[in-house]
Amino acid sequence: MAEKKLSDEFKAIEQKWKPMPIEESIKMYESWSDKYDSDMDVWQYDSPKGTAVRFSELNLPKDINILDCGAGTGLLAIYLKQFGYQNIDALDGCEKMLEKAREKNLYSRYFVSFVGPTIQLPFLSDTYDALVMCGVFTPGHFPVQVGTFEQLLRVVKKGGILSWGMADPEHYADRDPAYANDGFNKLIEQLKSKNLIEVVKDHPKELPSVQPKKRYFWAVRKL
């Protein structure tokens, strides 16, 4: 059996993790969509599984309404469903990635939108009990700004959960100044000082992972 290898698209894209215009990010994922799942399998990308594990540990009711934000091809939803969560909607900035998720019949509804501080998401306020994300806080993806979190929090019900899995922010410090000098943790402190969130006890937690670089799961509650 031939050994599986990472695609040329992955090798090229791996060098592009840096701040970029929305249009460039979407184009990047459009070109990658057909090989994305295969590459993640070869790369042993297990952050979606780890994020679902940590999300399940919050012990939220199984019938809550969840938004998987930055859903891509649905790798996170596969595991959320294994933990019994069924009412999941998908949001992603790349329609071609969502088409791959549709083929797996993972979500109740699909929405196309990028996420940023000036982009109003296509939902009414206070729609979801929980919003969960994986891999979206990395250079070239969701902007690390207070406004980005305000847009995300708007669609979460008061008392609801905003959660995400991500690499150690310092891992990106040399690629994106927003992550340098403890920038991500300072952003969380800003959100707390504005009385927008409270961090769920004992978070962030390290994600279970076979990969050598540390990854973390954050859970905050909307105030």
Side-chain angles (χ1 to χ4, degrees):
M1 182 181 295
E3 181 183 358
K4 291 183 178 180
K5 296 181 180 180
L6 291 167
S7 70
D8 291 338
E9 285 83 357
F10 177 88
K11 294 172 185 177
I13 287 167
E14 192 178 22
Q15 304 305 313
K16 293 184 178 180
W17 297 144
K18 61 184 180 181
M20 66 180 75
I22 290 174
E23 295 78 13
E24 184 177 342
S25 179
I26 293 172
K27 185 177 179 180
M28 179 178 74
Y29 275 99
E30 285 178 342
S31 68
W32 194 14
S33 59
D34 287 335
K35 298 178 181 178
Y36 182 83
D37 283 1
S38 175
D39 279 338
M40 295 301 99
D41 181 51
V42 174
W43 192 37
Q44 294 185 298
Y45 180 58
D46 56 1
S47 290
K49 181 178 181 180
T51 297
V53 168
R54 292 289 183 248
F55 183 83
S56 72
E57 292 171 353
L58 295 171
N59 294 314
L60 301 173
K62 301 298 184 184
D63 62 349
I64 61 172
N65 292 317
I66 299 171
L67 177 64
D68 181 356
C69 193
T73 63
L75 297 183
L76 176 57
I78 290 172
Y79 295 104
L80 290 173
K81 288 207 159 188
Q82 289 179 9
F83 284 108
Y85 298 101
Q86 299 298 323
N87 302 325
I88 313 171
D89 289 346
L91 176 85
D92 198 86
C94 178
E95 190 164 8
K96 286 193 71 174
M97 293 287 280
L98 284 181
E99 286 173 4
K100 300 299 179 183
R102 284 181 186 274
E103 293 172 4
K104 302 170 189 172
N105 195 30
L106 292 168
Y107 299 98
S108 302
R109 298 183 296 171
Y110 300 80
F111 299 90
V112 180
S113 175
F114 209 77
V115 175
T118 62
I119 302 171
Q120 182 160 314
L121 301 180
F123 311 103
L124 296 175
S125 298
D126 309 312
T127 295
Y128 292 98
D129 300 293
L131 192 156
V132 62
M133 304 170 280
C134 182
V136 301
F137 291 115
T138 181
H141 294 70
F142 292 7
V144 178
Q145 298 179 28
V146 169
T148 300
F149 277 84
E150 289 176 332
Q151 294 292 346
L152 295 169
L153 287 166
R154 181 187 66 80
V155 305
V156 176
K157 296 176 183 176
K158 185 175 182 179
I161 293 293
L162 179 67
S163 60
W164 62 94
M166 67 180 298
D168 186 333
E170 290 302 310
H171 177 61
Y172 302 121
D174 61 338
R175 295 199 179 202
D176 186 342
Y179 292 91
N181 302 312
D182 206 30
F184 194 87
N185 289 322
K186 288 176 181 176
L187 171 60
I188 299 300
E189 290 302 314
Q190 282 183 272
L191 296 169
K192 289 167 60 179
S193 68
K194 295 181 71 170
N195 293 316
L196 295 173
I197 64 166
E198 63 179 7
V199 178
V200 174
K201 184 180 179 182
D202 298 328
H203 287 75
K205 294 183 176 181
E206 192 168 336
L207 286 181
S209 177
V210 301
Q211 294 190 329
K213 293 188 176 77
K214 286 187 176 181
R215 290 169 166 78
Y216 295 92
F217 177 78
W218 283 83
V220 303
R221 183 171 287 107
K222 178 180 175 179
L223 297 177

